[in-house]
Amino acid sequence: MERYAGQTLSKREESYREVTPAAIVLGVLWGAFMAASFTYAGMIMGFTSGGSAIAAIVGWGILRGLLKKGTVVENNIVQTVASAVNISVSGVIFTIPALYIMSLHQEINTLYFFLATAAGAILGITFIIPLRKQMIEIDRLRFPTGTAVATILKTPGSGIEKARLLFFGMVLSAVIYLIQQFPIFGLPHVIPEVVDLGAALHLPEWVNLTIALSLMVFGMGLITGRNGLIVLAGGVLSYYIITPVVKSLGWIPAEVQGSAISSYVYGTMTRPLGIGMLLGGSIAGLILSLPVIAVAMKSLAQASKFKDKNGHNEELPIHYLIGGAIFAFVLLLVTAYKLGNLGLGRSLITALIGVAWIFIASLLVAMSTGMTDWSPVSGLSLVSVMILLYLTNKNVPLTILMGATVGVAISGAADMMQDLKTGHMVGAVPSRQQKVELLTGWLGPIIALTVVGLIWNAYGIGNDKVPAPQAMALKSMVEAVLGGSVPIDKFIAGGLLGFLLSLSGVPGLGVLVGLSMYLPMLYIIPYGIGCVVNEVAKRKKGYEFIVEKVLPFAAGLMVGEAAMTLLFAVLTVAGVLHP
Amino acid sequence: MKKFIGNIMLTVGLVGGAIASARNPPLWTALGGSLAIMGVGILLRRQGEKEELHKSAAQGKGGKEELKRTLETAIAEIEKIMEEREKDLEKAREHLGKILETLETFAEKAQPLRIEGIRFYGEVMTSFSKAERHLNRAWSAYADGYVKEGDTYLESGYSQLKETSRLLNSRI
């Protein structure tokens, strides 16, 4: 019988390994390692990463390489747990360090940090569970990272050719990324991270045609395909139609000149418009999907009554979701009541609106990542801060703490959906993935908060050594909201446009165009090129070519660069690198 | 033609609306006009799309007929796998992988079902996706050497595909 890469095919009689102690322990350990590394590195460099794909590769190495008994669905549990533990890092480091920078952290008992962020982790996961059917089964959103991870999980059984393509993509993108980082090691700058094509073509300075040379972003586009073309079109509208028109109409202050014009239009016009469109588009999408959500909920309630031959539910019983939401609501209520001196009535309203906002934001983030792999977390944070400052009577510590709840929730929601997409593609049982994510998702915030506390004691935060750029950005947002300089008119105008676009009959159009106006062109171009290549390849070579050749190669491109970012995070934590 | 005009109006309205909104403060009247153009564009677009879908369904291109054929082919192929898995499991698993790739196109082809009503579309896709997930699990289990698990889910996916086919036929 033919053997395939990494596989010794032997017929096994025992029950199929899926949720095992080995998978959970490995997932928690690897997730904790990534969470600690990315917390520290994220506060220095300003970015984090999900790490699902790396966890899947590590899972293969240990479960099958060392323990000699791993299965596809068991390794899916490893990556589900690891990414659940790791993903909430961004929700914490974007918010909590701002309290330290503003010297407000002592106003809140540490226990509340843990409770509020744990509530976020639980809320994000529970809210997104009922939407699995709609987004994955009915709307068939692509979830590029989830698709890439499924490709990795299936590679050992998919034949040597796919394994080769995956490996080639990984090595290529890792090597390119490494060469781009040469200056950090004191080596010559061979391949830049960005190319200013506009300058090379002698275009006017205000034409933003800078391209990020990121194979990971190109790979995301390769997996996304047609949906991403709308993002590319929206980027063209934003940067190459609106910007010149606005300039020629004289709507830009005279002191803004040269390359600053593009940044000005982006910062004060198109980006807030994009945020509004995202919100309007997702609300319209939610309304239009209500009949389908009703079908999904009915099917969920029915499915949770039926058990498989082993006596397990395929879908998580609906009372888990209700229980989780009530639990998290109570935690938010207690936090608002105890910390905000708001009185019971206002605390109740704060908790209720907070929970409703988390639902909408989770939906939006899951839709965005499902269609493009990008989540507009910073834009949503701005809206969160705006809503929460109003609700809490401009209580800044409470606003930032509840902002952390929202941040953790929406990161968790997007990750849960990516993991469920992977699970769908490898045939995992959804309820098992959801249970392990609920059981472990709250660990990440505790790890991240502990690391933030340690960093504060060791080096301080918001200085040359630990600049915490995302928290500084949040501090600016809070100050902007307190100073009354939030572009609410742009949010409303964008919301109307996004709402109408989503009624057009093209699923998610409002969200896609909003996202394209919100994102910097730097990444839209390589992503768009990936989408175009996918579409051309599909038309010329057929869908089978995409599945057989393009997907494994694209997954490799995403994993190689992601692995390098983790390596650089670890090297930074170890003190080897000082970016 | 209606869809084409609708698309143009939608695009013109969007560009005009985005420009009007970009000004500080926004030009609300111009935005209102743009939204109205977009609204008419959306109506035309949706009407045109409905007409196109009905036309192609009547001609037997796309629509339910093609979906039914896709499902029937997949069901027949799975029956072959059920026979060949006894002789050569590896070949059966490869065969299943190919069927799963073919089934991926079902979702794209299923879009016209939306004209039958969003609830009906939701029911068909829910049933189809369950079948797909079970067949995916069968593939994974066979790849891992868990033959019993693979057999169980192959049969379950097969039954669920038949259920999807029955659902489709219920609306003829």
Side-chain angles (χ1 to χ4, degrees):
Chain A
M1 188 177 286
E2 188 191 342
R3 293 283 181 269
Y4 35 94
Q7 175 79 357
T8 47
L9 185 62
S10 55
K11 292 187 181 179
R12 298 164 191 258
E13 291 303 320
E14 71 267 38
S15 63
Y16 197 28
R17 291 172 65 87
E18 190 164 7
V19 180
T20 61
I24 293 176
V25 170
L26 179 57
V28 167
L29 290 177
W30 185 251
F33 169 71
M34 289 197 295
S37 304
F38 278 123
T39 302
Y40 184 52
M43 286 174 66
I44 293 173
M45 299 187 278
F47 72 88
T48 60
S49 178
S52 302
I54 315 296
I57 291 172
V58 169
W60 272 138
I62 294 180
L63 291 178
R64 190 157 287 179
L66 292 178
L67 302 177
K68 308 283 181 202
K69 51 188 175 184
T71 69
V72 174
V73 289
E74 185 183 15
N75 198 12
N76 178 50
I77 293 294
V78 173
Q79 69 84 19
T80 298
V81 171
S83 64
V85 172
N86 172 54
I87 198 72
S88 44
V89 162
S90 56
V92 170
I93 66 167
F94 190 74
T95 51
I96 300 298
L99 280 176
Y100 286 90
I101 293 167
M102 291 188 259
S103 300
L104 295 170
H105 61 287
Q106 283 165 337
E107 293 190 20
I108 297 173
N109 187 308
T110 311
L111 180 67
Y112 284 105
F113 283 147
F114 293 141
L115 287 178
T117 47
I122 294 167
L123 260 182
I125 297 165
T126 50
F127 274 171
I128 215 65
I129 287 171
L131 300 174
R132 182 189 77 82
K133 275 190 175 291
Q134 192 221 327
M135 290 189 185
I136 294 173
E137 298 193 348
I138 297 167
D139 287 346
R140 311 281 298 185
L141 300 187
R142 195 64 166 159
F143 290 99
T145 293
T147 304
V149 175
T151 307
I152 292 163
L153 291 175
K154 290 170 91 170
T155 293
S158 297
I160 199 75
E161 182 58 25
K162 277 190 182 172
R164 271 194 199 129
L165 283 166
L166 180 86
F167 186 70
F168 175 64
M170 266 173 69
V171 172
L172 180 68
S173 100
V175 168
I176 297 288
Y177 185 83
L178 192 65
I179 296 172
Q180 286 174 329
Q181 307 306 316
F182 270 7
I184 295 178
F185 303 107
L187 294 165
H189 212 163
V190 182
I191 302 177
E193 286 184 82
V194 295
V195 172
D196 189 351
L197 205 59
L201 295 170
H202 303 292
L203 296 175
E205 269 186 285
W206 52 268
V207 178
N208 183 338
L209 196 56
T210 309
I211 303 172
L213 295 182
S214 167
L215 287 179
M216 182 168 75
V217 177
F218 174 70
M220 280 160 56
L222 266 184
I223 294 180
T224 307
R226 193 184 296 171
N227 261 346
L229 296 176
I230 298 174
V231 176
L232 185 61
V236 171
L237 166 69
S238 175
Y239 286 87
Y240 309 127
I241 296 177
I242 293 179
T243 305
V245 170
V246 160
K247 183 181 175 294
S248 63
L249 289 172
W251 292 352
I252 296 167
E255 64 271 20
V256 180
Q257 290 292 328
S259 59
I261 290 174
S262 181
S263 317
Y264 178 85
V265 173
Y266 173 67
T268 63
M269 297 174 170
T270 53
R271 187 173 181 271
L273 260 181
I275 294 171
M277 285 171 98
L278 280 167
L279 290 171
S282 64
I283 290 169
L286 180 67
I287 293 169
L288 284 176
S289 301
L290 281 176
V292 182
I293 292 174
V295 172
M297 292 294 281
K298 194 176 147 199
S299 145
L300 200 67
Q302 280 172 347
S304 65
K305 288 178 195 155
F306 295 108
K307 296 183 189 305
D308 64 17
K309 286 182 179 173
N310 302 319
H312 300 298
N313 287 316
E314 282 220 323
E315 302 285 354
L316 207 61
I318 207 91
H319 58 76
Y320 268 78
L321 316 181
I322 298 167
I326 291 173
F327 174 64
F329 167 76
V330 170
L331 282 179
L332 279 183
L333 176 65
V334 171
T335 307
Y337 184 69
K338 287 276 187 185
L339 296 181
N341 293 322
L342 300 174
L344 187 60
R346 194 160 182 127
S347 299
L348 263 171
I349 293 170
T350 303
L352 265 177
I353 295 179
V355 168
W357 168 242
I358 288 174
F359 178 71
I360 291 175
S362 301
L363 169 81
L364 205 170
V365 150
M367 276 172 76
S368 298
T369 48
M371 288 188 278
T372 64
D373 223 35
W374 269 309
S375 56
V377 173
S378 63
L380 290 176
S381 299
L382 173 59
V383 181
S384 304
V385 165
M386 198 177 73
I387 296 171
L388 289 166
L389 272 176
Y390 175 73
L391 286 172
T392 62
N393 266 342
K394 298 193 175 170
N395 182 326
V396 174
L398 183 57
T399 292
I400 292 180
L401 185 64
M402 292 181 89
T405 307
V406 177
V408 170
I410 57 180
S411 314
D415 174 65
M416 175 87 257
M417 212 51 120
Q418 295 271 21
D419 290 341
L420 289 171
K421 173 72 178 183
T422 307
H424 182 87
M425 294 177 74
V426 299
V429 176
S431 66
R432 293 181 195 166
Q433 274 187 284
Q434 290 157 351
K435 278 179 191 165
V436 295
E437 189 131 353
L438 274 171
L439 281 172
T440 56
W442 53 273
L443 284 167
I446 293 177
I447 294 165
L449 288 166
T450 307
V451 174
V452 169
L454 289 173
I455 292 171
W456 170 254
N457 288 328
Y459 310 112
I461 295 174
N463 49 37
D464 286 348
K465 200 164 175 62
V466 187
Q470 291 171 318
M472 292 299 271
L474 180 69
K475 181 175 169 267
S476 308
M477 277 183 201
V478 171
E479 285 164 357
V481 176
L482 287 175
S485 60
V486 175
I488 293 178
D489 53 0
K490 294 276 182 296
F491 290 167
I492 294 170
L496 291 169
L497 287 166
F499 191 93
L500 216 53
L501 275 178
S502 281
L503 300 181
S504 64
V506 180
L509 186 62
V511 172
L512 284 171
V513 177
L515 199 60
S516 65
M517 296 183 80
Y518 166 85
L519 289 168
M521 201 62 191
L522 191 68
Y523 296 111
I524 290 180
I525 296 175
Y527 175 77
I529 294 171
C531 300
V532 171
V533 172
N534 173 301
E535 200 55 27
V536 171
K538 193 157 72 182
R539 285 187 188 185
K540 291 209 164 174
K541 303 258 185 180
Y543 191 75
E544 200 178 327
F545 180 80
I546 300 289
V547 178
E548 291 287 329
K549 312 279 183 195
V550 176
L551 281 189
F553 176 64
L557 291 181
M558 288 177 72
V559 176
E561 194 170 317
M564 280 291 128
T565 60
L566 177 64
L567 177 69
F568 275 71
V570 173
L571 290 175
T572 306
V573 173
V576 178
L577 293 179
H578 306 282
Chain B
M1 194 62 183
K2 267 187 190 171
K3 192 177 166 188
F4 178 71
I5 295 170
N7 278 337
I8 289 178
M9 289 182 78
L10 185 63
T11 310
V12 169
L14 171 65
V15 173
I19 291 169
S21 307
R23 204 191 75 145
N24 290 322
L27 295 167
W28 292 107
T29 316
L31 174 62
S34 301
L35 290 174
I37 294 171
M38 280 173 79
V40 176
I42 288 168
L43 284 177
L44 284 174
R45 193 187 182 284
R46 290 185 81 105
Q47 251 179 22
E49 197 168 43
K50 239 178 196 176
E51 284 170 13
E52 273 180 24
L53 290 173
H54 277 299
K55 204 171 154 188
S56 62
Q59 289 170 348
K61 280 189 241 159
K64 277 193 292 190
E65 291 310 315
E66 193 176 347
L67 287 176
K68 275 191 255 172
R69 277 199 299 275
T70 310
L71 283 184
E72 278 160 18
T73 310
I75 288 167
E77 290 296 311
I78 292 171
E79 282 165 0
K80 280 187 204 163
I81 292 176
M82 286 171 166
E83 287 165 20
E84 76 186 352
R85 73 184 164 187
E86 299 297 329
K87 298 174 215 153
D88 189 342
L89 184 62
E90 178 60 17
K91 199 175 161 194
R93 187 186 59 81
E94 273 179 22
H95 194 167
L96 179 58
K98 294 282 174 202
I99 294 169
L100 282 164
E101 285 173 16
T102 319
L103 283 177
E104 282 232 353
T105 58
F106 180 93
E108 276 184 41
K109 290 175 187 165
Q111 291 301 319
L113 286 182
R114 288 177 189 265
I115 59 171
E116 301 281 342
I118 194 78
R119 282 185 79 93
F120 176 63
Y121 174 76
E123 281 164 9
V124 170
M125 290 312 293
T126 300
S127 173
F128 167 75
S129 294
K130 188 175 178 186
E132 187 188 35
R133 183 162 53 78
H134 282 198
L135 293 173
N136 278 330
R137 189 174 181 87
W139 185 95
S140 296
Y142 285 144
D144 289 323
Y146 289 78
V147 180
K148 210 172 138 193
E149 181 85 1
D151 289 350
T152 304
Y153 276 89
L154 183 71
E155 278 154 28
S156 165
Y158 170 74
S159 309
Q160 196 64 40
L161 270 190
K162 281 183 139 180
E163 172 62 19
T164 312
S165 181
R166 191 196 60 75
L167 257 173
L168 268 175
N169 285 317
S170 70
R171 283 279 184 110
I172 293 178

